[in-house]
Amino acid sequence: MKILLHHTLILVLLMNMLSIVNSQTKTHVKIGVILDMNTSIGKMTKTCISMATRDFYRKHDNYTTVIRLHFRDSKQDNVQATSATIDLLKNVQVMSIFGPMTSAQADFVIDIGNKSKVPIISPATSPSLSPYNNHYFIRSAHDSTLQLKPITELIKHFSWSEVVFVYQNDEYGRGLVPYLSDAMMNIGTKVMHQTVIHPSASDDWIRAELYKLKTMQTRVFVVHALPDLASRFFKKVDETGMMEEGYVWVITEVLTSRLHSLDREDVDSMQGVLGVKSYIRRTKEVNEFEKRWKQEFRRGYPEDEVTELDMFGIWSYDSVFALAKALQKVGNEVNMTFHRDSRESTSDLDAIGTSEMGSSLVNLIRNSRFKGLSGDFHVVNGQLQPSVYEVVNIIGKGEKSIGFWSPENGMSKTLNGRTKDLKAVTWPGDTHVIPKGWENPTSNENKLRVGVPAKGGFVQFIDANTDPQTKQVVVTGFCVDVFDAVVGALPYAVKHEFIPFVTPDGKKPAGSYSDLIYNLSDGKYDAVVGDITILAKRSDYVDFTLPYAEGGVSLIVPIEDERKSAWIFMRPLEKELWITTGAFFIYTGLVVWILEHRVNKEFRGSPGQQVGMIFWFSFSTLVYAHREKLISNLSRFVVIVWVFVVLVLTSSYTASLTSMLTVQKLRPSYTDIDEIKRNGESVGYQEGSFVKDMLKGMGFNDSQLKSYSTFEDYDKALKNGSRKGGVSAIMDELPYIQVFLAKYCNKYTMTGPTYKTAGFGFVSFIPFRIRFHSWL
């Protein structure tokens, strides 16, 4: 017995000595982890990464490289995530970094990883962050564009011809927009509208947007948002009555996979919603790991409620295995330090340097494949490859699987793809009737009441008349053509009637354009179509479409022909040059006289004759008619220089005058509206236009302003001018000016600065309650 005990102690001692020696030969590799530690997904991922590290080296205790984790909290902030990255690279010198979790944070960190040659392993799903363009970025989740195949197959399966896309306004949401439009186009489905919601948007703003969506005929909505925003959004969807029969809501992968993180009341507001997510088989290994994970989560976060383990946690677990395998293949021979420039660093980024191991390590991670907890964990060129997507229906407290999608089998009820159908769906409104995806107004009571301005002139844009026999309103013009083209492009019928804005007797306009806007806001019309300019003060009462015509306000003034001026011979030279030339004529004559009158008899005589000689000699050189003989060499030199100057001057003058007399020179009569105001002259404007208020704001009084209703009135007023009861200029919007000048281009021109406006737009009414809350 003593001998056995003695041998046992020796064996234990030897094992301890071997373990000490073995531990001394292992190389510890520093790995950084950047997570949002106070979020449920951050806590879940941290637990999974820690467990993966222990599990891997428990299975591979003979490996000579061991991961040592260094955690940092990004605090849900882009700048904080970047700061944590710089700290890990500069001060800790990690060889790789897990995270960050969000696309917005990863956008900054990936650039730093490329610069320092350190692999960044992140589940950021935005397609704008491409592993193909960023060699040191490994996406440990599916690219969000990969889910478009099952989504479009779902849309195609139910034969919906149009959808509305609602997405989050950040790096995560915006990246999917162009890909979704292309994917829908490939199946013949139109994206009828896109609603962009900022993560910090107020609930009242979301409600106002939903009311706009409710007025549309399309009833199929694809929502791409993170859980925090989506929970608020779907509560408002339910409140506005858009979670009822006839509506269809489809959510994307991240939100579907994170439904368990939402509160019960949030899930209650999403009853009948469809979603897609990556499918992970519930194998024995996954179930056992989930049990251990829950125990580990309770120990790490005893005050938190244990959530469910989702695919992002499982992918992060497998990513640790992929990194550990790659580190072992790299081995110990690679230097685990950073190469830094010996020169003084001017910033923290310069002080980081570049990793010696990074270039060897990244290639092993970017292309790896093994059987992991998630199944076939296959990374190609830095991108985790997809396998099967699951289609779920939110019912009751959770979700129900209604089918699957795979690249091989497409959409099917089961994984084997034998049944090309889906299980029964419970749609919003607790119905099993498949929504048709749109609504079509059928009764005359649903006619859209469209107000149109009525005026006698400018019929090229809008003209409303009532047929005396049929009593039908006939509306024509460019604005109506645009409206008809828009309505005609819609895949459904929009019944509407035009109602002219006229007095009760129907003979003249009932007011200005602003009066028409106020009538719309009072509920007398549903919309207004016409040459309505988009103005900020009008937007306080109504909502405008995007502009469909050029904006801006400028002046129309008469043009003058310079050739008809009696003083045209003076125009080749500027006034200052005329004065300078005359002064040099006198100066040259005086200099020559001073040099010659003592030695030359021709420059002598009475004082009057000498003064005459001074003027005569200098001016005679203009046509080379001087006959006086010069004796002094200095005076000859002066005359030579002067004659050369005269030659250049006369040649330039002759050329300029010839050009003026042979080429038509048209110039505006005024180039500045302030000049008209200073002279007390009149300015015209279009009757009923907001331009009158602009002119008053510039300092014009009512006596200087005159309104006109036709282009012919414009012509007559400009022709008469302010002195004969007309105006010196017309101020109007660019579309009217272009039409007017097309007819009277030989008499008038546009001049002065162009005051920018937003252009013409169609108008609809915003309920005051919605508008008021949207300001909060």
Side-chain angles (χ1 to χ4, degrees):
M1 186 68 180
K2 291 182 179 180
I3 296 174
L4 179 62
L5 181 61
H6 178 71
H7 284 294
T8 304
L9 291 174
I10 292 175
L11 180 61
V12 170
L13 181 61
L14 289 173
M15 290 179 63
N16 288 335
M17 292 177 64
L18 288 173
S19 63
I20 293 173
V21 172
N22 188 41
S23 63
Q24 290 176 349
T25 60
K26 291 183 181 296
T27 302
H28 292 274
V29 183
K30 301 173 183 177
I31 302 297
V33 183
I34 302 175
L35 302 172
D36 296 327
M37 298 297 188
N38 291 326
T39 63
S40 61
I41 189 171
K43 295 174 181 178
M44 177 195 67
T45 305
K46 181 180 180 181
T47 306
C48 289
I49 290 176
S50 299
M51 292 179 65
T53 306
R54 294 196 301 269
D55 291 350
F56 182 83
Y57 291 110
R58 188 181 297 117
K59 295 178 182 178
H60 304 86
D61 57 353
N62 61 328
Y63 274 29
T64 58
T65 56
V66 179
I67 291 176
R68 176 173 292 177
L69 300 174
H70 295 263
F71 290 94
R72 295 292 186 273
D73 187 3
S74 59
K75 300 179 181 179
Q76 304 181 57
D77 182 74
N78 299 347
V79 177
Q80 189 66 34
T82 306
S83 177
T85 303
I86 296 174
D87 173 52
L88 289 170
L89 295 175
K90 178 184 176 183
N91 302 322
V92 184
Q93 293 191 352
V94 296
M95 295 296 102
S96 181
I97 293 178
F98 282 104
M101 304 296 294
T102 66
S103 299
Q105 294 178 15
D107 191 18
F108 291 88
V109 175
I110 290 170
D111 290 337
I112 300 176
N114 289 331
K115 181 178 178 62
S116 59
K117 296 184 178 181
V118 172
I120 306 297
I121 306 173
S122 170
T125 61
S126 174
S128 61
L129 307 177
S130 172
Y132 300 101
N133 299 328
N134 301 281
H135 185 67
Y136 287 87
F137 170 44
I138 297 93
R139 197 197 309 273
S140 60
H142 291 164
D143 186 334
S144 60
T145 59
L146 300 176
Q147 66 184 313
L148 295 180
K149 273 289 186 182
I151 290 177
T152 53
E153 286 291 329
L154 187 64
I155 300 294
K156 184 178 179 180
H157 178 80
F158 291 106
S159 302
W160 294 318
S161 59
E162 61 261 353
V163 300
V164 172
F165 188 29
V166 181
Y167 64 93
Q168 184 166 315
N169 188 16
D170 60 8
E171 189 68 35
Y172 167 78
R174 290 189 298 267
L176 193 63
V177 176
Y179 299 94
L180 178 76
S181 300
D182 292 342
M184 291 299 173
M185 186 183 302
N186 291 335
I187 63 171
T189 298
K190 296 180 181 179
V191 179
M192 305 304 296
H193 183 70
Q194 295 179 5
T195 295
V196 188
I197 305 178
H198 196 275
S200 61
S202 67
D203 290 347
D204 293 314
W205 189 93
I206 295 175
R207 187 187 296 110
E209 288 297 308
L210 287 171
Y211 277 121
K212 293 181 183 179
L213 295 179
K214 195 173 183 180
T215 61
M216 301 176 61
Q217 276 70 27
T218 306
R219 290 294 181 261
V220 182
F221 303 90
V222 178
V223 180
H224 183 58
L226 293 173
D228 289 343
L229 176 60
S231 61
R232 296 194 295 118
F233 176 77
F234 277 103
K235 283 182 181 178
K236 300 308 168 189
V237 169
D238 195 23
E239 291 176 7
T240 54
M242 298 179 69
M243 198 58 73
E244 299 175 353
E245 184 175 356
Y247 286 90
V248 178
W249 295 91
V250 181
I251 57 177
T252 52
E253 180 177 24
V254 174
L255 178 57
T256 306
S257 64
R258 297 291 299 164
L259 285 173
H260 60 82
S261 66
L262 302 181
D263 296 334
R264 173 61 188 275
E265 60 179 4
D266 296 332
V267 178
D268 289 342
S269 64
M270 299 174 66
Q271 297 298 298
V273 172
L274 298 180
V276 297
K277 65 177 182 178
S278 297
Y279 176 69
I280 296 178
R281 291 178 181 270
R282 301 298 298 185
T283 61
K284 179 181 178 181
E285 291 79 8
V286 173
N287 292 331
E288 290 178 352
F289 173 75
E290 187 171 16
K291 292 179 182 178
R292 293 194 298 116
W293 175 82
K294 288 183 177 179
Q295 295 173 358
E296 183 77 14
F297 190 90
R298 290 191 184 97
R299 284 195 294 268
Y301 307 99
E303 297 180 357
D304 292 356
E305 181 181 354
V306 179
T307 61
E308 294 183 19
L309 178 67
D310 60 32
M311 60 187 187
F312 288 103
I314 295 176
W315 283 336
S316 64
Y317 183 92
D318 286 345
S319 299
V320 174
F321 274 57
L323 177 60
K325 291 175 181 289
L327 287 171
Q328 183 64 22
K329 291 180 181 179
V330 172
N332 302 332
E333 66 276 5
V334 179
N335 188 4
M336 287 186 293
T337 59
F338 281 65
H339 172 71
R340 291 172 174 172
D341 199 332
S342 59
R343 293 174 297 180
E344 183 179 355
S345 302
T346 58
S347 66
D348 285 340
L349 288 176
D350 295 330
I352 291 173
T354 57
S355 172
E356 299 283 352
M357 178 185 285
S359 57
S360 302
L361 179 62
V362 69
N363 293 324
L364 295 173
I365 311 174
R366 283 178 64 85
N367 294 280
S368 59
R369 188 171 190 175
F370 61 92
K371 189 70 174 179
L373 196 63
S374 60
D376 184 16
F377 190 82
H378 188 196
V379 180
V380 177
N381 293 326
Q383 174 61 60
L384 181 64
Q385 299 302 296
S387 52
V388 178
Y389 282 89
E390 184 180 13
V391 184
V392 300
N393 185 199
I394 301 177
I395 303 174
K397 298 180 181 180
E399 60 191 47
K400 181 188 79 171
S401 177
I402 62 171
F404 300 89
W405 180 91
S406 66
E408 300 81 14
N409 302 320
M411 194 70 69
S412 60
K413 184 183 294 186
T414 58
L415 277 173
N416 55 31
R418 295 176 182 175
T419 307
K420 300 297 182 181
D421 200 357
L422 296 175
K423 297 177 183 178
V425 179
T426 301
W427 302 99
D430 196 21
T431 178
H432 294 283
V433 178
I434 300 175
K436 60 183 179 180
W438 55 274
E439 288 187 2
N440 188 7
T442 55
S443 65
N444 290 333
E445 295 179 357
N446 292 328
K447 275 189 176 182
L448 195 68
R449 299 168 300 163
V450 180
V452 292
K455 50 188 180 180
F458 310 102
V459 295
Q460 294 89 344
F461 292 92
I462 189 76
D463 185 25
N465 297 295
T466 302
D467 191 300
Q469 296 181 350
T470 63
K471 304 300 181 181
Q472 295 292 321
V473 176
V474 179
V475 183
T476 58
F478 170 74
C479 302
V480 177
D481 292 340
V482 174
F483 177 77
D484 290 340
V486 172
V487 172
L490 298 176
Y492 40 77
V494 178
K495 293 188 176 182
H496 59 276
E497 59 177 339
F498 291 112
I499 304 174
F501 184 57
V502 294
T503 55
D505 59 8
K507 294 182 178 180
K508 59 181 181 179
S512 66
Y513 278 40
S514 296
D515 295 330
L516 176 57
I517 295 295
Y518 300 146
N519 273 263
L520 171 64
S521 63
D522 290 339
K524 295 182 180 179
Y525 306 108
D526 298 315
V528 169
V529 170
D531 46 351
I532 311 294
T533 304
I534 302 172
L535 299 176
K537 62 180 181 181
R538 292 176 177 175
S539 298
D540 292 339
Y541 301 92
V542 294
D543 188 22
F544 286 94
T545 64
L546 292 174
Y548 63 87
E550 181 183 9
V553 176
S554 193
L555 286 177
I556 306 172
V557 296
I559 54 178
E560 299 176 351
D561 190 347
E562 291 184 346
R563 296 181 303 177
K564 298 179 180 180
S565 173
W567 294 93
I568 190 173
F569 69 91
M570 297 291 291
R571 295 190 181 277
L573 301 181
E574 297 290 336
K575 180 175 67 174
E576 293 80 4
L577 186 56
W578 279 115
I579 296 173
T580 303
T581 302
F584 269 97
F585 270 113
I586 299 172
Y587 177 75
T588 301
L590 181 62
V591 170
V592 173
W593 175 81
I594 292 173
L595 296 173
E596 292 289 333
H597 82 283
R598 291 186 180 181
V599 297
N600 194 336
K601 295 180 180 180
E602 295 185 23
F603 286 84
R604 296 177 185 173
S606 64
Q609 288 178 332
Q610 294 186 50
V611 171
M613 177 58 68
I614 291 173
F615 284 97
W616 155 252
F617 183 83
S618 59
F619 280 96
S620 64
T621 57
L622 183 64
V623 292
Y624 312 107
H626 53 286
R627 294 293 181 267
E628 291 76 13
K629 183 179 179 180
L630 301 179
I631 297 175
S632 173
N633 287 332
L634 289 176
S635 61
R636 290 173 181 172
F637 177 76
V638 171
V639 172
I640 290 172
V641 175
W642 175 242
V643 169
F644 178 77
V645 172
V646 169
L647 175 64
V648 175
L649 190 64
T650 54
S651 299
S652 300
Y653 177 85
T654 304
S656 299
L657 183 59
T658 303
S659 175
M660 290 181 178
L661 293 175
T662 56
V663 180
Q664 186 180 31
K665 294 289 184 179
L666 302 178
R667 65 179 183 88
S669 56
Y670 294 94
T671 58
D672 188 1
I673 193 170
D674 291 329
E675 182 182 355
I676 300 175
K677 182 176 67 176
R678 288 194 301 270
N679 296 338
E681 300 179 22
S682 300
V683 177
Y685 64 92
Q686 185 182 149
E687 185 176 2
S689 172
F690 71 95
V691 173
K692 179 179 180 180
D693 295 330
M694 285 186 62
L695 291 168
K696 285 187 174 181
M698 294 177 183
F700 286 90
N701 54 51
D702 290 331
S703 62
Q704 292 178 274
L705 303 180
K706 298 181 180 181
S707 64
Y708 301 100
S709 58
T710 66
F711 287 140
E712 289 72 19
D713 292 341
Y714 278 10
D715 177 42
K716 184 178 179 181
L718 289 169
K719 184 178 180 181
N720 292 334
S722 297
R723 297 180 180 179
K724 296 182 180 180
V727 294
S728 299
I730 297 285
M731 177 172 274
D732 209 341
E733 297 178 78
L734 294 182
Y736 303 106
I737 293 176
Q738 291 167 354
V739 175
F740 177 77
L741 294 181
K743 185 177 181 181
Y744 298 99
C745 60
N746 61 331
K747 299 167 63 177
Y748 309 103
T749 187
M750 184 175 72
T751 188
T754 298
Y755 303 93
K756 291 295 182 181
T757 62
F760 292 164
F762 300 138
V763 196
S764 61
F765 173 54
I766 308 175
F768 177 78
R769 178 176 61 86
I770 299 176
R771 189 177 66 254
F772 174 77
H773 287 299
S774 68
W775 291 341
L776 299 180

